Amino acid sequence: MSLQAPARHTVHVPLGDRAYDIIIAPDAIDSAGERLASLFPGARYGIVTDENVARAQLPRLLAALDGAGLSHTEIILPAGEATKSWAHLQTTVDAILAARLERNDILIALGGGVIGDLAGFAAAITRRGMDFVQIPTSLLAQVDSSVGGKTGINSQYGKNLVGAFHQPRLVLADQQALDTLPPRQFAAGYAEVVKYGLIDDEEFFFWLEANFSDIESGGPARAEAIAKACVAKARVVVEDEKETGRRALLNLGHTFGHALEKATGYSDRLLHGEGVAVGMVLAHRFSARLGLAPSQDSGRIEAHLKTAGLPTILADIPGDLPPTDVLMDAIAQDKKVSRGALTFILTRGIGKAFIEKNVNAADVTQFLEDMR
Ligand code: NAD
């Protein structure tokens, strides 16, 4: 990571001939025109975005492209998780073809993780693979989904079940874009930032605790937090691009989190990052119960997530949750179960997560029962 000036960082993702840069800067969108023109001479651009982001951020991007004389077409989709569907994938691919974008033209994903995943997948399959650029506008997308090349849509059988690995050519993470993001969405993305500290970097977690107010208010620590999170994600992706081993650590808190998301119908009751926040606390508490981690660590994590406005216990989730056996069914579906044993990301304390393939399902059931 090279530090150019406060609030400006470049993170390189060294994936051989698919290597790319993540530019983190408050004017990354405004300066996109020159950057794109020099990287992709002669290309035309298809911008995929959602209605909220089109209102809040698209004018900045259009001004940047127009300023550099770049030709573009816009594909504006409804906002929300339901957009990651076959129907909207088809709309997107058809719009790309109707605009006669060719293989050497560029698709731009301007939006949160929903748009990044959908547009990235459309780029992966249209004309047997087009290049694409991520311009993530939610905190979650800036620190997580825009990095690593996982793209896809949901199916009636579950989330993210149809997709492809397709790395972007460039990521432009613009902190100013986060100014229009609803605070609840900001907090949800922040849970993923905290996750990187909890996985293997306790210093980062302590730094986040100390710098949270600057991060929240958009000071220089915000860009630094985003950059550190991108470095952490990029490192894991480079080590394990196709998620056969270490990349699974990124799922810390996600097994419990996914079960809770499912139990709340993937609705506004619990955003993905909020599920991850509760899930990370549960993973630490469960590890403490197994005698693996100090219990004061769970309290410290809980306190910080609370400060960030995140739910941390089951009772924080509005409405009734289904019985424990239904939550356990969701956990079993999310994870491979072999003879009553589950794979979980557990921890020996802050910054010491590990993959445990032999977690007793009955212990998890009892633990969840006691947490209610
Ligand atoms: P999202 O894309 O739905 O964005 C959240 C909300 O914020 C939406 O209403 C959106 O319109 C709005 N928004 C985004 N940026 C804005 C801005 N700057 N100003 C105003 N409004 C803005 O959700 P998300 O949390 O960004 O992403 C969640 C998705 O990411 C899920 O589908 C999840 O599966 C996926 N994901 C993918 C990966 C990956 O590796 N590919 C990793 C994690 C999550």
Side-chain angles (χ1 to χ4, degrees):
M1 185 173 94
S2 64
L3 191 64
Q4 293 149 349
R8 307 181 88 80
H9 302 259
T10 299
V11 177
H12 184 65
V13 186
L15 283 171
D17 59 357
R18 286 163 301 114
Y20 54 95
D21 282 338
I22 305 165
I23 311 289
I24 300 149
D27 61 351
I29 292 181
D30 310 301
S31 60
E34 301 112 69
R35 204 180 288 277
L36 293 169
S38 73
L39 265 177
F40 311 110
R44 295 187 306 133
Y45 296 84
I47 305 167
V48 184
T49 191
D50 73 27
E51 285 161 356
N52 295 337
V53 180
R55 257 191 316 276
Q57 300 296 332
L58 183 60
R60 284 176 72 200
L61 181 60
L62 296 184
L65 297 190
D66 290 340
L70 304 180
S71 128
H72 52 81
T73 185
E74 292 81 60
I75 303 163
I76 300 176
L77 302 170
E81 185 69 30
T83 295
K84 270 174 61 173
S85 64
W86 287 108
H88 289 104
L89 177 69
Q90 183 174 359
T91 309
T92 307
V93 171
D94 283 346
I96 295 168
L97 298 175
R100 296 178 194 282
L101 292 173
E102 302 290 339
R103 261 189 96 179
N104 50 354
D105 293 328
I106 302 287
L107 207 60
I108 296 179
L110 176 75
V114 164
I115 290 298
D117 281 9
L118 174 90
F121 187 39
I125 61 173
T126 306
R127 299 196 188 280
R128 297 200 177 83
M130 293 176 65
D131 284 338
F132 86 114
V133 168
Q134 290 268 20
I135 307 189
T137 61
S138 70
L139 181 57
L140 181 131
Q142 294 195 355
V143 298
D144 189 354
S145 59
S146 68
V147 182
K150 276 194 192 174
T151 71
I153 56 170
N154 303 325
S155 110
Q156 59 171 318
Y157 297 100
K159 272 191 67 167
N160 299 324
L161 291 182
V162 180
F165 283 95
H166 189 52
Q167 299 291 344
R169 292 286 309 276
L170 174 72
V171 180
L172 298 175
D174 182 305
Q175 301 106 66
Q176 226 189 107
L178 301 179
D179 291 345
T180 59
L181 186 68
R184 187 176 168 199
Q185 294 286 352
F186 186 89
Y190 184 70
E192 301 281 1
V193 178
V194 171
K195 183 186 76 179
Y196 295 112
L198 298 183
I199 290 174
D200 63 358
D201 190 350
E202 64 171 0
E203 286 307 315
F204 183 43
F205 178 77
F206 301 153
W207 181 86
L208 289 171
E209 282 182 321
N211 289 280
F212 179 69
S213 62
D214 195 51
I215 294 169
E216 191 180 34
S217 63
R222 181 184 281 184
E224 201 172 335
I226 294 168
K228 284 182 166 159
C230 288
V231 168
K233 172 126 193 207
R235 200 176 55 228
V236 179
V237 167
V238 167
E239 279 173 27
D240 181 16
E241 189 183 353
K242 299 271 167 84
E243 194 170 325
T244 52
R246 216 182 123 67
R247 190 164 176 173
L249 285 175
L250 296 173
N251 292 330
L252 174 65
H254 282 60
T255 302
F256 288 123
H258 282 158
L260 295 170
E261 274 186 275
K262 187 163 189 198
T264 47
Y266 300 102
S267 67
D268 265 6
R269 274 174 69 196
L270 190 73
L271 301 178
H272 173 73
E274 294 173 336
V276 170
V278 178
M280 290 191 302
V281 172
L282 289 174
H284 274 79
R285 283 195 180 193
F286 183 60
S287 301
R289 172 183 284 213
L290 295 177
L292 295 166
S295 57
Q296 61 270 30
D297 279 10
S298 332
R300 189 165 176 175
I301 296 161
E302 207 173 317
H304 184 53
L305 294 172
K306 259 199 187 109
T307 306
L310 286 159
T312 57
I313 55 172
L314 296 180
D316 289 340
I317 302 169
D320 290 333
L321 288 174
T324 301
D325 58 327
V326 175
L327 290 177
M328 283 306 292
D329 276 352
I331 286 175
Q333 262 175 29
D334 196 55
K335 295 283 123 191
K336 261 201 262 145
V337 196
S338 79
R339 281 182 247 111
L342 296 161
T343 297
F344 260 82
I345 310 305
L346 296 183
T347 182
R348 297 194 173 81
I350 294 170
K352 300 188 187 74
F354 64 97
I355 303 166
E356 173 57 65
K357 297 202 166 131
N358 204 17
V359 174
N360 187 336
D363 289 348
V364 181
T365 308
Q366 187 58 51
F367 168 72
L368 280 176
E369 201 49 45
D370 296 345
M371 288 296 113
R372 300 180 75 104

